[in-house]
Structures are given as C-alpha cells and as structure tokens.
Amino acid sequence: MVIGTLQEVNLDTAIMAKLWKKIKCGKFNEVHSMLIYKENLLVFEAYFEGHEYQWDAPDYHGSFVQWNQDTAHPIMSCTKSFISACIGIAIEKGFIANAQQSIFDYLPDYQNFKKDGKEHITIEHLLTMTSGLAWDEWGAPHGTSANDIDRIYSDCSTDPIKCVLEKELQSTPGEEFTYNGGGTIVLGEILKTASGMDVAEFSKNYLFRKLGIDSTSWYQFENGAFATDGSLNLRSRDMLKFGITYLNKGSWQGEKIVSEDWVIRSSKIYGNNKRINIPGEDSGRNGYGHSWWTSEFSHRGRQLKAFRAGGWGGQSIMVFPDLDMVIVFTGGNYATNSKLFKIVKKFVLPAAL
C-alpha cells in the first residue's frame, strides 16, 4: 500500500486537521481509528485512545488503551460483508452453483426444517436479510434472551444453525427485510459443506492470504460453527485492503479476488431493501444488497453514492466509487450512537470537494 499526502489528492489539510482534533477530544464519542485511501494512496491514518470491547462490562467498555496500526479490532457486523465475499468466491470457484440455490442443498443435517415454506429460502435470501424467518435482533435489548442474536450465544451455542432454522416463517422469502445475523451464521455452515473447508480456512486460502492479511481471529460455538455474524477481528489497514478490493471492482494489486459481478450485486439494493434505519447510527435511511449497506450523500448539489460494510459500535468500511475513495473507521460506541456520517458530511466531503 503506497503512502501519500493529503495535498497529493487535494484533500484540504486545514479541514482534516480540525477533524483530527475534534475526534481526539471525543466530539464524535469513541473513534478508535480513521483511515482514508484516495486515488491509489493512503493519505490519512489516525489512531486514538479508547476502550477495548468487553461484553460483560458497563457500556461494553473494557480496558482503556491506545489503538494503533498493529492492533486487531472487533469489526462486528462488517464480518458479514467478508462472508458475502467468501460466498461470491465459492460461486466463482464452482463450490456453489449460484446464489439462487436452496439453502438446504448444503445443510444435510437440517433437512427436517425443509418444510412449511422454508424450502424456498435461498442463499441469496440469507445474504440480503430477506429469508422471511421470524427474528428480533434490533427491537430487543442486548443481554436478554428476547434478542435473538444474543440467544444464539447464550442458549443455542451447541447448535446455532438449529436455533435459526427452527424459527417460524413470517413472510415469503425474498419479500421483506429483517436484520438477521443468524442467517449469516447459516451461510458459514453452507460454505463449509460446499467447499469442505471451514470459514477460517476458506477465507484464509481465497481471501486473506491474497490480500496479504496474516492475522485474523474468530469466535467458534461449542459445536465448531463459526460466529460469522460478527466475530472477526482485523487491523484497520486490513479492513482498508478489503475496501480497496471492492473499490477496484474485485481486484487487489492486479489480481482478481472477487468477481466484478459479485461486487455489483453487493453494492446494489436488493428488492425492497430500501429506507432502512439502523439503530445506533446517524446514517439515516439505507439500502441493503448482498450484505453491504448502500447510501447517498448530498454535497454542494452533487449526489454521491456509497456502499459500506458496517458494524455495531462504529466499525465501517465506506467505499465511494465516484470519489475513488475508501474510508475505514473503528470505534467503541456500543452503548452510544456512532457519528460517522456526521464526520463524512461535515469534514471529509468538504475537504474533498
């Protein structure tokens, strides 16, 4: 990755200096890192103090540390976008025929759930959060069994796949958006059955190694399934590499990693997945594709489209094709709102345009 300067890509240095000071002073709650890649150069990289993530601590805040370039950070639901990339690669490599296949083609141990309309759930439905399965991940507080994703970790760790598939079908697959991290965990099992490799091995062989990412960690359930909904830990620069790959239509340093078609599918709103408000964010209304969020920014009369991987607490990989730019954030805003869109709207876009 080539290091450059703000001046080389015409980013206003005074505005960016002001932003750095505001982040350092906590004006945007806890931002742990911010990186900007523009026009083939890493031109902004800043790390700040903040709390490590700790599930059983007040506000989920553990030790107070100085984050740095070598520190792996929980990327939470940004993990889902990495799993989407792995599914796209598996299709490209022939492990999976296509995203329209029934999920039960790759779940031999769960055929008893292939009934009552669930047989129509496809891989694409899991990727786009439109499986139709009843699921409450946003409406119920964390730390309670009413929150379905927390229940997987507390009550269903011996078989999280069953925990997802036993849910009732509340709508026709493909029609309604319901945020469902459990569906992404099922995708991890599908990937394992299709390729003969677990998620850690597959992602290492076909994604991370090719991107020069040599340090990753995952959480596994008691039965060995991987928590593909949000347990991946990565360094900020490694998150940036992934974003650059999608900015470059699936290529990293001249090598095709993910097909261009899959990048297009990922960054395009699926069906009725529009006008979605995400709890804990200032992102407004969003669209959702193949496990990537979509947004539009308005600046000085210009509409700018972006797509991004997003995670609880202020983790984000924002891709701006129109500006040839990727922005990465990590943060610790688990019990407070993240203000990443305010940063982009009030500082980055005015600095760039």
Side-chain angles (χ1 to χ4, degrees):
M1 193 179 303
V2 181
I3 309 299
T5 65
L6 294 170
Q7 293 92 331
E8 286 180 88
V9 297
N10 296 313
L11 276 172
D12 190 301
T13 57
I15 293 177
M16 295 307 297
K18 184 178 180 181
L19 171 60
W20 182 87
K21 289 180 181 178
K22 285 185 175 290
I23 293 176
K24 188 173 178 61
C25 291
K27 296 297 183 181
F28 303 103
N29 298 330
E30 277 205 17
V31 175
H32 294 162
S33 72
M34 179 180 174
L35 286 68
I36 299 178
Y37 174 93
K38 185 168 171 54
E39 298 170 22
N40 302 313
L41 297 171
L42 173 57
V43 296
F44 186 86
E45 183 175 24
Y47 297 90
F48 305 92
E49 293 180 330
H51 292 88
E52 294 180 322
Y53 173 72
Q54 184 178 329
W55 170 254
D56 57 355
D59 296 335
Y60 310 100
H61 280 171
S63 300
F64 193 75
V65 301
Q66 171 64 52
W67 295 92
N68 60 62
Q69 180 179 315
D70 298 319
T71 311
H73 197 286
I75 68 169
M76 301 300 178
S77 286
C78 288
T79 304
K80 294 177 174 68
S81 300
F82 285 83
I83 298 306
S84 172
C86 288
I87 293 293
I89 293 168
I91 292 172
E92 183 75 12
K93 299 293 182 183
F95 293 115
I96 295 173
N98 57 66
Q100 286 70 48
Q101 278 190 277
S102 168
I103 60 173
F104 293 102
D105 290 353
Y106 299 99
L107 298 172
D109 296 333
Y110 300 93
Q111 295 298 302
N112 55 308
F113 295 109
K114 188 180 177 180
K115 59 183 179 180
D116 302 326
K118 297 178 187 178
E119 66 272 16
H120 300 301
I121 301 173
T122 67
I123 293 170
E124 186 168 59
H125 294 146
L126 296 185
L127 287 165
T128 58
M129 303 288 183
T130 59
S131 68
L133 292 170
W135 196 261
D136 188 358
E137 190 165 335
W138 282 355
H142 276 304
T144 69
S145 59
N147 187 301
D148 283 315
I149 198 65
D150 288 359
R151 187 172 62 87
I152 279 190
Y153 287 87
S154 61
D155 302 337
C156 304
S157 60
T158 56
D159 194 346
I161 310 303
K162 176 179 179 292
C163 190
V164 178
L165 297 179
E166 67 185 3
K167 286 285 190 175
E168 293 183 1
L169 201 68
Q170 64 180 9
S171 63
T172 302
E175 289 190 354
E176 295 183 8
F177 176 93
T178 300
Y179 194 79
N180 185 339
T184 311
I185 295 173
V186 176
L187 285 174
E189 186 71 13
I190 288 171
L191 188 67
K192 179 181 178 181
T193 302
S195 68
M197 292 171 270
D198 64 31
V199 167
E201 184 180 5
F202 187 95
S203 60
K204 179 180 179 180
N205 291 341
Y206 291 103
L207 182 60
F208 294 131
R209 185 179 291 160
K210 293 178 181 293
L211 296 179
I213 298 173
D214 55 13
S215 178
T216 60
S217 64
W218 300 81
Y219 177 83
Q220 281 184 276
F221 295 100
E222 291 178 32
N223 70 340
F226 282 77
T228 48
D229 63 307
S231 73
L232 185 58
N233 290 265
L234 288 174
R235 295 169 297 208
S236 298
R237 280 198 178 190
D238 293 334
M239 295 168 68
L240 186 63
K241 290 177 180 180
F242 187 59
I244 293 169
T245 300
Y246 271 68
L247 176 68
N248 292 333
K249 301 177 181 179
S251 293
W252 169 255
Q253 296 185 340
E255 181 181 0
K256 181 64 70 175
I257 308 297
V258 185
S259 74
E260 182 176 350
D261 176 68
W262 195 256
V263 173
I264 292 171
R265 285 173 179 265
S266 299
S267 58
K268 182 180 179 181
I269 295 173
Y270 177 85
N272 295 317
N273 289 356
K274 304 174 183 177
R275 297 183 292 278
I276 303 165
N277 292 305
I278 306 171
E281 290 190 1
D282 65 341
S283 56
R285 291 181 173 180
N286 304 267
Y288 199 75
H290 283 50
S291 302
W292 287 76
W293 296 100
T294 68
S295 299
E296 278 198 14
F297 292 80
S298 179
H299 185 71
R300 294 178 182 171
R302 183 176 176 184
Q303 295 298 119
L304 298 167
K305 291 185 177 182
F307 62 98
R308 72 188 191 283
W312 180 39
Q315 331 311 323
S316 191
I317 307 170
M318 299 184 176
V319 181
F320 290 80
D322 295 337
L323 297 177
D324 195 14
M325 182 171 71
V326 179
I327 309 174
V328 163
F329 292 99
T330 57
N333 301 305
Y334 307 111
T336 54
N337 286 348
S338 65
K339 301 179 180 180
L340 305 185
F341 272 57
K342 185 175 182 180
I343 291 174
V344 173
K345 291 176 181 177
K346 298 292 185 180
F347 292 92
V348 180
L349 293 184
L353 297 171

